[in-house]
Amino acid sequence: MGNQLFQEARRFVEMAKSANPADRDSTIAKAKNALSSAYANSTVAEQSQLQQMQNELDQVNQNQLK
Protein backbone atom coordinates (compact mmCIF):
# COMPACT_ATOMS: atom_id res chain seq x y z
CA MET A 1 0.00 0.00 0.00
CA GLY A 2 2.87 2.40 0.64
CA ASN A 3 3.06 5.44 2.82
CA GLN A 4 -0.38 7.08 2.71
CA LEU A 5 0.95 10.43 3.95
CA PHE A 6 3.60 10.39 1.23
CA GLN A 7 0.96 9.74 -1.43
CA GLU A 8 -1.22 12.51 -0.04
CA ALA A 9 1.69 14.96 -0.09
CA ARG A 10 2.40 14.10 -3.71
CA ARG A 11 -1.26 14.62 -4.60
CA PHE A 12 -1.44 18.02 -2.89
CA VAL A 13 1.78 19.24 -4.52
CA GLU A 14 0.42 18.27 -7.93
CA MET A 15 -2.83 20.07 -7.12
CA ALA A 16 -0.91 23.20 -6.12
CA LYS A 17 1.06 23.12 -9.35
CA SER A 18 -2.13 23.09 -11.41
CA ALA A 19 -4.39 25.20 -9.18
CA ASN A 20 -5.99 28.31 -10.56
CA PRO A 21 -4.64 31.54 -9.09
CA ALA A 22 -7.68 32.16 -6.88
CA ASP A 23 -7.23 28.81 -5.09
CA ARG A 24 -3.46 28.59 -5.13
CA ASP A 25 -2.79 30.04 -1.65
CA SER A 26 -5.00 27.54 0.14
CA THR A 27 -3.76 24.66 -2.02
CA ILE A 28 -0.13 25.56 -1.30
CA ALA A 29 -0.90 25.69 2.42
CA LYS A 30 -2.50 22.23 2.29
CA ALA A 31 0.47 20.88 0.33
CA LYS A 32 2.93 22.28 2.90
CA ASN A 33 0.94 20.65 5.69
CA ALA A 34 0.88 17.33 3.87
CA LEU A 35 4.64 17.50 3.18
CA SER A 36 5.36 18.20 6.83
CA SER A 37 3.22 15.29 8.02
CA ALA A 38 4.69 12.92 5.46
CA TYR A 39 8.28 13.88 6.24
CA ALA A 40 7.93 12.94 9.90
CA ASN A 41 6.71 9.46 8.97
CA SER A 42 8.86 8.57 5.98
CA THR A 43 11.96 6.63 5.05
CA VAL A 44 15.19 8.32 4.01
CA ALA A 45 14.39 7.62 0.35
CA GLU A 46 10.93 9.13 0.73
CA GLN A 47 12.39 12.14 2.53
CA SER A 48 14.60 12.80 -0.49
CA GLN A 49 11.57 12.72 -2.77
CA LEU A 50 9.61 14.90 -0.37
CA GLN A 51 12.43 17.46 -0.45
CA GLN A 52 12.15 17.56 -4.25
CA MET A 53 8.39 18.07 -3.94
CA GLN A 54 9.05 20.88 -1.47
CA ASN A 55 11.38 22.50 -4.01
CA GLU A 56 8.66 22.25 -6.66
CA LEU A 57 6.14 23.79 -4.28
CA ASP A 58 8.55 26.61 -3.45
CA GLN A 59 8.89 27.28 -7.19
CA VAL A 60 5.11 27.44 -7.59
CA ASN A 61 4.92 29.84 -4.65
CA GLN A 62 7.70 32.05 -6.07
CA ASN A 63 6.01 32.19 -9.48
CA GLN A 64 2.78 33.25 -7.81
CA LEU A 65 4.49 36.15 -6.05
CA LYS A 66 5.81 37.58 -9.30
Side-chain angles (χ1 to χ4, degrees):
M1 178 156 107
N3 184 336
Q4 189 67 30
L5 293 171
F6 179 85
Q7 297 300 325
E8 186 174 296
R10 179 178 297 188
R11 183 173 59 86
F12 276 114
V13 170
E14 290 303 317
M15 287 171 54
K17 289 165 55 177
S18 63
N20 67 53
D23 297 331
R24 195 162 287 140
D25 281 342
S26 66
T27 307
I28 288 173
K30 288 176 185 176
K32 286 181 178 182
N33 242 359
L35 283 168
S36 179
S37 294
Y39 195 85
N41 296 289
S42 62
T43 65
V44 173
E46 288 171 333
Q47 288 175 355
S48 177
Q49 292 178 45
L50 290 165
Q51 182 60 51
Q52 179 60 38
M53 286 186 243
Q54 179 66 54
N55 293 342
E56 293 173 15
L57 191 60
D58 290 344
Q59 188 65 42
V60 169
N61 201 23
Q62 286 296 325
N63 290 339
Q64 180 181 341
L65 298 176
K66 291 181 181 177

